[in-house]
Each structure stands twice: as C-alpha cells, then as structure tokens.
Amino acid sequence: MSELLTRSIQDYLKHIYELTEHGQLASTNDLARALQVKPASVTGMIQKLASDKPALVAYQKHQGVTLTATGKMAALEVIRHHRLLETWLVQTLGYTWDEVHEEAERLEHVISEEFEARIAAALGNPTRDPHGELIPSEDLTMPADESTPLASLRPNQAASIQRVDAQDPDLLRYLESLGLTPGVEIEVTAYSEFDHNLTVKVGRKSNVLGLSITSKIFVENGK
Amino acid sequence: MSELLTRSIQDYLKHIYELTEHGQLASTNDLARALQVKPASVTGMIQKLASDKPALVAYQKHQGVTLTATGKMAALEVIRHHRLLETWLVQTLGYTWDEVHEEAERLEHVISEEFEARIAAALGNPTRDPHGELIPSEDLTMPADESTPLASLRPNQAASIQRVDAQDPDLLRYLESLGLTPGVEIEVTAYSEFDHNLTVKVGRKSNVLGLSITSKIFVENGK
DNA sequence: AATCAAAATTAGTCTTGCCTAAATATTGTA
DNA sequence: TACAATATTTAGGCAAGACTAATTTTGATT
Ligand SMILES: [Mn+2]
Ligand SMILES: [Mn+2]
Ligand SMILES: [Mn+2]
Ligand SMILES: [Mn+2]
C-alpha cells in the first residue's frame, strides 16, 4: 500500500470512505461539499480514479461512487494516520479536542509508516481518537461500531457517550463545557416530539439539546 | 510571516539560505543540485521569487541569487521547523540521528506555528538539533556559529565536536559507530599532507579520516 | 581579439488539480 | 407523460512547477 497518491487523491478517498461507510453511494455533490471543491472538479477526479491502473473507485456516470478494495485500503491508511495523530497531539502535546482536527488534516498526508508505527506504539495502540472515533487497526481493518445516535434515545434511557462526530471547534468547546465527552454517562429525561429536543442529564446537570447536536453524539450500552 | 508560500518555494528559500549563509551568491547550478531539479527550473522559479510583490530573492541574470530580508525570514522559519522537528523526533519518538532528516523534510512544511511553539516548549527551547546544527530562535535569528572544520586542525590540537554537516544515513551511522557525535572530545594525533587524512583520537581509539569526512565535522574550543 | 566550454536563460510542453459556463441527464411531481 | 428543478458531466481555461531542447552569456585561454 505504498503511496504515489497525492494529497488531493488521499482526501478524495477519505471522504468517499466516510460517505459510503454504511453502504451508500457517494454523490458528486456530497463529495464537492465535503472537499470544498466544485462538482465539476469532483467529476474530473472521480473519472481519473476510476480509470487508474488498479482502479481506486467504482463509478457509473450519474450514479455516484464507491471505493474498490484498493481504494478502501488507501482511505483507511489516511484515516488511521489522522486519528492516531489527533490522539497523539492531545496526549503528548497538550492539544485540546477542538484544536487537533486541522493540524491532523495536514500531517496525515506526510508522515511515514515508520512515524505511524512509532506513535501507535508510544500511545499503546489506541482504538479511539479524542473524539471517540474508531482508529483502523494496523492491518487496515475498521473495528465495528456498535453505537447509536443520542437522538434515538427516549426518556428514562441511559447510555454512555462513545463518540462525537464533529470537527467544528466551537461546537466541540460547547459540548465539552456541558460535559458531553466520550466516556461520560448520560440519561435522557425528556423528549419534545415537535422539535426533537432531548433533555439530557449529565451528573447533576441537565441540558436541552437540539437534533443538530443529538444526531452527532453516539452512545452505547443503554441500561 | 504567515505562509502563502508553497512547499516548493519553501525548499528553494531554505537551500538559498544555506548556499548564501557565508556571504556567497547561490548559483543556478548549485541550487539545481541541492533541489534535485534541472537548472532551467531553477531559473524559472528564481525569476518568479524575484518579481514577487515583496521580493523573496535578489537576482541579476547570470550572477546568482541571495535572499531579501523577507526571504531570509521565510527561510529561517522553515529551518527552525526542520531542526526542532528533528530534535523532537529523536527525543520523544526514539528516532536515531540518521533517520530524522527525511521525515523532517516533509513535516517542516505543514506544521502550524502552534505546533512549533508546543514542541519547542516541550523540548525546553533547544538551540541545537541532533546533528548539532543551530536552531534559529523563535524571533528568527540564527545564533552565531563559532566552529571550524575538523579538517583545519593539526596534530596535538584537541577540540570538541559541535556539529556534523551531513544527512546521508550511511555516513551518519558510520560516524556514530566511531563515536564521532556532537559533544564528544577529540584530539588530532597525525596529519598526512598529501591526502589530507587526519588521525583522530576519541577516547581510547584512533581513526584515520579523509577530507570528505573531516570537512563535514565542525569543532570548537581547541585546548 | 578570437575561440570555446561551462553556466544560465529562453521557448515551448506536460501534468495535476482546480475553475466557470454550457450542455445534458435524472428525478419527482403534476 | 411531461416539465421543471436538481444533479452531473463536458468543454475550455488557468496556475504551479517541472522537463527538454535550443540559444545566449560569461569568462578563461590562447
Ligand atoms: Mn487532509
Ligand atoms: Mn477525530
Ligand atoms: Mn522540505
Ligand atoms: Mn539536522
């Protein structure tokens, strides 16, 4: 799996992985939004990736793309780099979880396999990054994710936060200020069916959270 | 000094700095060799850098280039990144001095000022990298270098090794195997004026070193 | 002063990855 | 079934940075 893959291609593959993780096809528009690029540029790149020597994506005009086995390996390699880097920035350099994303976004493309191995070992081969996201294993397998969105819980259900699917620093700081971070136990005490707000108890405090937040927090282990 | 400077430009500036550090002009050919690029490419890039909004280099056709004040700041920024990274790879991830150059060569262009500040602080603001090279200060001043090449010493002169000006991993491993690393005390016991070999004593052992080695080891403080 | 080799520059191409504008395909709905 | 809105693709361009081949400049040597 050694890389002749450009930075740009690595980012395409990573985002295609994320958009197709649950069996969907990634649309040109969704990719354009994720990559901050115009749809026409996505079409161009996708056509190139699809016609590469060993194709990195499977593509049919107007239908969207998925990754080939080769493309998936390359994507998982980048994702592993990203998540190990985030973990390591937090644990060894004192970054906070709202600061790491941007730094990792650049570093992920330039570290060697040697570097990856050394930080993984130094961290004790972690399985989750600071946001609770699962880290692909060294052999590029993505562990199964058992969690469900907090939004799907209803009053009297308790659970523990597994991961927070967000990179926006403001949102992350806000969540931290409420104590909504991975590992924390929470309980839903109220649900408003019109706006889908949930009232969530953390320790002694309760907060009312809208769907745009509860859909980004993933929990497990409701009692 | 924030960067709109591409990776490629950063490498040009860094190498121009190194080639002009002692007052010379950097020639097109020397730069081409240093950057592993054809001379025609160097001419093209130099002309662009010379005609940039605030010019990064001063250039006259066929005469060679030097850095402007702006260009020098940008170069020192990259060099500071490189040398802090090398130091940090050795001290916190257990890299050896022959392994760090290549990794730092890529990382130097993508770390943030925040990252630079954090590793500098974590390392206690070091002034030399693992090869003994001086690290530009945070305000981008290069400390004065008092050292002279080992090649200039003669029998009965003693000195301590300050820095080793080499990146070739094989050479670095060889020097380490001889105990020729920064901080080590040495003494010259013989000189051969025909081939310029020096016999150098380190601890109990002596080795005969050719000019291609003694010109890359810099020493200070002969007693 | 004339000559010549080495060094440097110019001219013209190529690749990568993006863009805008225009054309076309798909889809959901009337 | 047909139309309009939406999504996607095509066509044509541009900027960076590299390359090769051809040409010019420099500066040493006769
Ligand atoms: Mn990235
Ligand atoms: Mn993360
Ligand atoms: Mn570099
Ligand atoms: Mn060094």
Side-chain angles (χ1 to χ4, degrees):
Chain A
M1 274 332 97
S2 75
E3 320 293 286
L4 306 147
L5 303 181
T6 64
R7 193 164 324 249
S8 181
I9 290 175
Q10 289 181 31
D11 277 332
Y12 271 86
L13 295 176
K14 184 176 67 169
H15 283 107
I16 293 169
Y17 179 90
E18 283 161 1
L19 289 170
T20 61
E21 199 167 0
H22 300 295
Q24 319 89 318
L25 293 180
S27 75
T28 300
N29 266 353
D30 288 350
L31 271 171
R33 190 170 329 107
L35 291 158
Q36 311 250 61
V37 134
K38 301 300 175 194
S41 305
V42 172
T43 299
M45 179 60 93
I46 274 174
Q47 289 178 343
K48 201 184 54 180
L49 298 180
S51 60
D52 267 359
K53 339 255 259 172
L56 295 164
V57 304
Y59 165 66
Q60 297 201 117
K61 277 195 167 92
H62 297 99
Q63 306 299 120
V65 280
T66 52
L67 296 173
T68 61
T70 307
K72 188 174 170 183
M73 286 294 152
L76 286 169
E77 182 75 61
V78 180
I79 292 169
R80 177 168 162 85
H81 287 183
H82 186 102
R83 295 182 182 175
L84 281 173
L85 281 162
E86 285 193 346
T87 306
W88 178 76
L89 290 169
V90 166
Q91 302 218 339
T92 81
L93 287 178
Y95 275 78
T96 53
W97 77 336
D98 55 296
E99 298 172 319
V100 288
H101 183 77
E102 200 191 322
E103 194 86 47
E105 197 60 46
R106 283 174 280 107
L107 289 165
E108 64 188 2
H109 307 292
V110 306
I111 66 172
S112 64
E113 291 304 286
E114 178 69 23
F115 186 104
E116 173 199 311
R118 284 185 194 255
I119 63 176
L123 294 167
N125 298 299
T127 58
R128 290 185 185 268
D129 80 6
H131 311 96
E133 304 276 6
L134 290 159
I135 300 175
S137 62
E138 194 186 342
D139 67 357
L140 302 181
T141 307
M142 181 66 90
D145 175 16
E146 317 276 86
S147 63
T148 54
L150 172 53
S152 69
L153 297 203
R154 289 297 172 268
N156 295 315
Q157 293 189 294
S160 72
I161 298 179
Q162 294 299 308
R163 62 187 171 92
V164 174
D165 191 356
Q167 314 95 325
D168 174 40
D170 290 327
L171 174 56
L172 289 169
R173 276 193 294 274
Y174 177 65
L175 293 177
E176 179 150 52
S177 76
L178 299 184
L180 295 167
T181 54
V184 166
E185 301 288 329
I186 53 112
E187 186 183 344
V188 173
T189 57
Y191 169 63
S192 158
E193 74 177 303
F194 302 107
D195 54 13
H196 305 290
N197 280 352
L198 286 179
T199 305
V200 175
K201 198 168 75 172
V202 187
R204 256 163 264 302
K205 293 179 189 165
S206 278
N207 292 282
V208 180
L209 306 175
L211 187 59
S212 71
I213 289 180
T214 57
S215 63
K216 289 174 179 151
I217 296 176
F218 290 75
V219 302
E220 244 179 61
N221 182 38
K223 305 176 205 160
Chain B
M1 275 327 102
S2 73
E3 319 294 286
L4 305 147
L5 303 180
T6 63
R7 195 168 322 253
S8 181
I9 290 175
Q10 290 181 29
D11 278 332
Y12 272 86
L13 296 175
K14 184 176 67 169
H15 283 107
I16 294 170
Y17 179 91
E18 283 161 1
L19 290 169
T20 60
E21 198 168 0
H22 301 295
Q24 319 90 315
L25 293 181
S27 74
T28 299
N29 267 352
D30 288 351
L31 272 171
R33 192 171 326 105
L35 290 158
Q36 310 252 61
V37 136
K38 303 297 174 197
S41 306
V42 172
T43 299
M45 178 61 93
I46 274 175
Q47 290 178 343
K48 199 184 56 179
L49 297 180
S51 61
D52 267 358
K53 340 254 259 171
L56 294 165
V57 305
Y59 165 66
Q60 297 200 118
K61 276 196 168 99
H62 296 99
Q63 305 298 120
V65 280
T66 52
L67 295 174
T68 61
T70 307
K72 188 174 171 184
M73 286 294 153
L76 287 169
E77 182 74 63
V78 181
I79 293 169
R80 177 168 162 85
H81 286 183
H82 186 102
R83 295 182 181 174
L84 281 173
L85 282 162
E86 286 192 347
T87 307
W88 179 78
L89 290 169
V90 166
Q91 302 218 338
T92 80
L93 287 179
Y95 275 77
T96 53
W97 77 337
D98 55 295
E99 298 173 318
V100 287
H101 183 77
E102 199 191 323
E103 193 85 48
E105 197 59 47
R106 284 173 278 106
L107 289 166
E108 65 188 0
H109 308 292
V110 306
I111 66 173
S112 65
E113 291 306 286
E114 177 68 22
F115 187 104
E116 173 198 314
R118 285 184 192 255
I119 62 176
L123 294 167
N125 298 299
T127 59
R128 291 184 184 267
D129 79 7
H131 310 97
E133 304 276 7
L134 289 159
I135 300 175
S137 63
E138 195 186 338
D139 67 357
L140 301 181
T141 306
M142 182 66 89
D145 176 17
E146 319 274 86
S147 65
T148 54
L150 172 54
S152 68
L153 297 202
R154 290 296 172 267
N156 296 315
Q157 292 190 295
S160 70
I161 298 179
Q162 294 299 307
R163 61 187 172 92
V164 174
D165 192 355
Q167 315 95 323
D168 174 38
D170 290 327
L171 174 56
L172 289 169
R173 275 193 295 273
Y174 176 66
L175 293 177
E176 178 150 54
S177 77
L178 299 183
L180 295 167
T181 54
V184 166
E185 302 288 329
I186 54 109
E187 186 183 347
V188 172
T189 57
Y191 169 64
S192 158
E193 74 177 302
F194 302 106
D195 54 14
H196 306 288
N197 280 351
L198 287 179
T199 305
V200 175
K201 198 168 75 171
V202 187
R204 258 162 260 305
K205 294 179 188 168
S206 279
N207 292 283
V208 180
L209 305 175
L211 187 58
S212 70
I213 288 180
T214 57
S215 63
K216 289 175 180 150
I217 295 176
F218 289 77
V219 302
E220 245 179 62
N221 182 38
K223 305 175 207 165

mmCIF file of all heavy atoms in Angstrom, chain A residues 180-202:
data_model
loop_
_atom_site.group_PDB
_atom_site.id
_atom_site.type_symbol
_atom_site.label_atom_id
_atom_site.label_comp_id
_atom_site.label_asym_id
_atom_site.label_seq_id
_atom_site.Cartn_x
_atom_site.Cartn_y
_atom_site.Cartn_z
ATOM 1 N N LEU A 180 -20.211 16.868 27.794
ATOM 2 C CA LEU A 180 -20.621 15.819 26.848
ATOM 3 C C LEU A 180 -19.421 15.335 26.038
ATOM 4 O O LEU A 180 -19.221 15.710 24.886
ATOM 5 C CB LEU A 180 -21.713 16.363 25.925
ATOM 6 C CG LEU A 180 -23.020 16.727 26.640
ATOM 7 C CD1 LEU A 180 -23.940 17.541 25.735
ATOM 8 C CD2 LEU A 180 -23.743 15.447 27.100
ATOM 9 N N THR A 181 -18.634 14.482 26.664
ATOM 10 C CA THR A 181 -17.422 13.971 26.019
ATOM 11 C C THR A 181 -17.402 12.446 26.123
ATOM 12 O O THR A 181 -18.117 11.872 26.948
ATOM 13 C CB THR A 181 -16.168 14.554 26.697
ATOM 14 O OG1 THR A 181 -16.240 14.295 28.104
ATOM 15 C CG2 THR A 181 -16.081 16.061 26.493
ATOM 16 N N PRO A 182 -16.595 11.795 25.276
ATOM 17 C CA PRO A 182 -16.583 10.318 25.272
ATOM 18 C C PRO A 182 -16.300 9.738 26.651
ATOM 19 O O PRO A 182 -15.477 10.262 27.398
ATOM 20 C CB PRO A 182 -15.448 9.982 24.301
ATOM 21 C CG PRO A 182 -15.408 11.140 23.358
ATOM 22 C CD PRO A 182 -15.702 12.335 24.217
ATOM 23 N N GLY A 183 -17.018 8.660 26.979
ATOM 24 C CA GLY A 183 -16.837 8.005 28.262
ATOM 25 C C GLY A 183 -17.856 8.432 29.302
ATOM 26 O O GLY A 183 -18.076 7.733 30.286
ATOM 27 N N VAL A 184 -18.489 9.569 29.076
ATOM 28 C CA VAL A 184 -19.417 10.120 30.067
ATOM 29 C C VAL A 184 -20.770 9.393 30.029
ATOM 30 O O VAL A 184 -21.265 9.040 28.964
ATOM 31 C CB VAL A 184 -19.606 11.623 29.814
ATOM 32 C CG1 VAL A 184 -20.799 12.176 30.585
ATOM 33 C CG2 VAL A 184 -18.321 12.376 30.152
ATOM 34 N N GLU A 185 -21.342 9.167 31.228
ATOM 35 C CA GLU A 185 -22.660 8.526 31.323
ATOM 36 C C GLU A 185 -23.750 9.589 31.279
ATOM 37 O O GLU A 185 -23.630 10.615 31.965
ATOM 38 C CB GLU A 185 -22.795 7.775 32.653
ATOM 39 C CG GLU A 185 -21.754 6.707 32.878
ATOM 40 C CD GLU A 185 -21.972 5.491 31.984
ATOM 41 O OE1 GLU A 185 -23.150 5.191 31.648
ATOM 42 O OE2 GLU A 185 -20.969 4.855 31.617
ATOM 43 N N ILE A 186 -24.766 9.354 30.521
ATOM 44 C CA ILE A 186 -25.857 10.329 30.439
ATOM 45 C C ILE A 186 -27.213 9.621 30.579
ATOM 46 O O ILE A 186 -27.298 8.397 30.456
ATOM 47 C CB ILE A 186 -25.826 11.084 29.093
ATOM 48 C CG1 ILE A 186 -25.801 10.074 27.927
ATOM 49 C CG2 ILE A 186 -24.600 11.971 28.990
ATOM 50 C CD1 ILE A 186 -27.008 10.036 27.115
ATOM 51 N N GLU A 187 -28.249 10.434 30.834
ATOM 52 C CA GLU A 187 -29.596 9.864 30.875
ATOM 53 C C GLU A 187 -30.562 10.848 30.243
ATOM 54 O O GLU A 187 -30.486 12.057 30.489
ATOM 55 C CB GLU A 187 -30.011 9.590 32.318
ATOM 56 C CG GLU A 187 -31.348 8.870 32.383
ATOM 57 C CD GLU A 187 -31.826 8.640 33.827
ATOM 58 O OE1 GLU A 187 -30.989 8.769 34.758
ATOM 59 O OE2 GLU A 187 -33.027 8.362 34.004
ATOM 60 N N VAL A 188 -31.455 10.340 29.436
ATOM 61 C CA VAL A 188 -32.451 11.194 28.799
ATOM 62 C C VAL A 188 -33.644 11.302 29.743
ATOM 63 O O VAL A 188 -34.171 10.292 30.214
ATOM 64 C CB VAL A 188 -32.895 10.612 27.452
ATOM 65 C CG1 VAL A 188 -34.055 11.413 26.879
ATOM 66 C CG2 VAL A 188 -31.714 10.601 26.489
ATOM 67 N N THR A 189 -34.067 12.540 30.015
ATOM 68 C CA THR A 189 -35.178 12.714 30.953
ATOM 69 C C THR A 189 -36.419 13.287 30.299
ATOM 70 O O THR A 189 -37.488 13.251 30.874
ATOM 71 C CB THR A 189 -34.772 13.637 32.121
ATOM 72 O OG1 THR A 189 -34.346 14.884 31.594
ATOM 73 C CG2 THR A 189 -33.652 13.016 32.936
ATOM 74 N N ALA A 190 -36.249 13.832 29.086
ATOM 75 C CA ALA A 190 -37.450 14.365 28.409
ATOM 76 C C ALA A 190 -37.223 14.424 26.913
ATOM 77 O O ALA A 190 -36.095 14.520 26.439
ATOM 78 C CB ALA A 190 -37.779 15.753 28.950
ATOM 79 N N TYR A 191 -38.334 14.355 26.207
ATOM 80 C CA TYR A 191 -38.277 14.400 24.749
ATOM 81 C C TYR A 191 -39.415 15.263 24.248
ATOM 82 O O TYR A 191 -40.556 15.141 24.706
ATOM 83 C CB TYR A 191 -38.415 12.991 24.178
ATOM 84 C CG TYR A 191 -38.625 12.955 22.682
ATOM 85 C CD1 TYR A 191 -37.638 13.434 21.813
ATOM 86 C CD2 TYR A 191 -39.814 12.458 22.130
ATOM 87 C CE1 TYR A 191 -37.829 13.393 20.439
ATOM 88 C CE2 TYR A 191 -40.007 12.418 20.754
ATOM 89 C CZ TYR A 191 -39.014 12.900 19.910
ATOM 90 O OH TYR A 191 -39.205 12.873 18.552
ATOM 91 N N SER A 192 -39.116 16.152 23.349
ATOM 92 C CA SER A 192 -40.154 17.001 22.763
ATOM 93 C C SER A 192 -40.349 16.576 21.318
ATOM 94 O O SER A 192 -39.461 16.734 20.484
ATOM 95 C CB SER A 192 -39.709 18.461 22.841
ATOM 96 O OG SER A 192 -40.410 19.215 21.887
ATOM 97 N N GLU A 193 -41.514 16.044 21.025
ATOM 98 C CA GLU A 193 -41.650 15.422 19.717
ATOM 99 C C GLU A 193 -41.773 16.397 18.563
ATOM 100 O O GLU A 193 -41.640 16.021 17.411
ATOM 101 C CB GLU A 193 -42.804 14.417 19.697
ATOM 102 C CG GLU A 193 -44.173 15.036 19.676
ATOM 103 C CD GLU A 193 -45.251 13.940 19.579
ATOM 104 O OE1 GLU A 193 -45.182 13.152 18.614
ATOM 105 O OE2 GLU A 193 -46.121 13.877 20.471
ATOM 106 N N PHE A 194 -42.030 17.684 18.882
ATOM 107 C CA PHE A 194 -42.192 18.637 17.779
ATOM 108 C C PHE A 194 -40.858 19.142 17.247
ATOM 109 O O PHE A 194 -40.628 19.195 16.045
ATOM 110 C CB PHE A 194 -43.102 19.780 18.224
ATOM 111 C CG PHE A 194 -44.433 19.251 18.656
ATOM 112 C CD1 PHE A 194 -44.791 19.211 19.998
ATOM 113 C CD2 PHE A 194 -45.308 18.706 17.712
ATOM 114 C CE1 PHE A 194 -46.000 18.668 20.391
ATOM 115 C CE2 PHE A 194 -46.529 18.164 18.102
ATOM 116 C CZ PHE A 194 -46.880 18.139 19.453
ATOM 117 N N ASP A 195 -39.962 19.482 18.173
ATOM 118 C CA ASP A 195 -38.651 19.948 17.702
ATOM 119 C C ASP A 195 -37.558 18.909 17.917
ATOM 120 O O ASP A 195 -36.413 19.137 17.607
ATOM 121 C CB ASP A 195 -38.279 21.264 18.399
ATOM 122 C CG ASP A 195 -38.339 21.136 19.920
ATOM 123 O OD1 ASP A 195 -38.416 19.987 20.415
ATOM 124 O OD2 ASP A 195 -38.309 22.174 20.598
ATOM 125 N N HIS A 196 -37.930 17.750 18.423
ATOM 126 C CA HIS A 196 -36.974 16.665 18.664
ATOM 127 C C HIS A 196 -35.902 16.999 19.694
ATOM 128 O O HIS A 196 -34.850 16.381 19.713
ATOM 129 C CB HIS A 196 -36.322 16.220 17.353
ATOM 130 C CG HIS A 196 -37.314 15.840 16.304
ATOM 131 N ND1 HIS A 196 -38.080 14.708 16.383
ATOM 132 C CD2 HIS A 196 -37.692 16.482 15.177
ATOM 133 C CE1 HIS A 196 -38.884 14.638 15.341
ATOM 134 N NE2 HIS A 196 -38.671 15.711 14.584
ATOM 135 N N ASN A 197 -36.165 18.004 20.513
ATOM 136 C CA ASN A 197 -35.228 18.286 21.601
ATOM 137 C C ASN A 197 -35.220 17.149 22.615
ATOM 138 O O ASN A 197 -36.264 16.552 22.887
ATOM 139 C CB ASN A 197 -35.636 19.570 22.331
ATOM 140 C CG ASN A 197 -35.200 20.814 21.574
ATOM 141 O OD1 ASN A 197 -34.467 20.733 20.593
ATOM 142 N ND2 ASN A 197 -35.661 21.971 22.039
ATOM 143 N N LEU A 198 -34.028 16.883 23.155
ATOM 144 C CA LEU A 198 -33.914 15.926 24.251
ATOM 145 C C LEU A 198 -33.375 16.663 25.477
ATOM 146 O O LEU A 198 -32.497 17.514 25.345
ATOM 147 C CB LEU A 198 -32.927 14.809 23.904
ATOM 148 C CG LEU A 198 -33.344 13.740 22.900
ATOM 149 C CD1 LEU A 198 -32.190 12.752 22.703
ATOM 150 C CD2 LEU A 198 -34.599 13.006 23.372
ATOM 151 N N THR A 199 -33.892 16.311 26.629
ATOM 152 C CA THR A 199 -33.280 16.804 27.859
ATOM 153 C C THR A 199 -32.366 15.700 28.363
ATOM 154 O O THR A 199 -32.792 14.555 28.513
ATOM 155 C CB THR A 199 -34.346 17.137 28.912
ATOM 156 O OG1 THR A 199 -35.274 18.067 28.344
ATOM 157 C CG2 THR A 199 -33.698 17.768 30.155
ATOM 158 N N VAL A 200 -31.112 16.076 28.551
ATOM 159 C CA VAL A 200 -30.095 15.069 28.855
ATOM 160 C C VAL A 200 -29.412 15.418 30.169
ATOM 161 O O VAL A 200 -28.936 16.532 30.353
ATOM 162 C CB VAL A 200 -29.051 15.016 27.724
ATOM 163 C CG1 VAL A 200 -27.924 14.058 28.077
ATOM 164 C CG2 VAL A 200 -29.714 14.608 26.411
ATOM 165 N N LYS A 201 -29.387 14.440 31.059
ATOM 166 C CA LYS A 201 -28.762 14.654 32.348
ATOM 167 C C LYS A 201 -27.337 14.109 32.339
ATOM 168 O O LYS A 201 -27.090 12.973 31.946
ATOM 169 C CB LYS A 201 -29.579 13.963 33.444
ATOM 170 C CG LYS A 201 -29.257 14.502 34.836
ATOM 171 C CD LYS A 201 -30.266 14.030 35.863
ATOM 172 C CE LYS A 201 -30.020 12.569 36.216
ATOM 173 N NZ LYS A 201 -30.851 12.107 37.366
ATOM 174 N N VAL A 202 -26.415 14.974 32.758
ATOM 175 C CA VAL A 202 -25.002 14.565 32.904
ATOM 176 C C VAL A 202 -24.624 14.918 34.323
ATOM 177 O O VAL A 202 -24.616 16.084 34.693
ATOM 178 C CB VAL A 202 -24.076 15.375 31.975
ATOM 179 C CG1 VAL A 202 -22.659 14.796 32.024
ATOM 180 C CG2 VAL A 202 -24.614 15.408 30.559
#
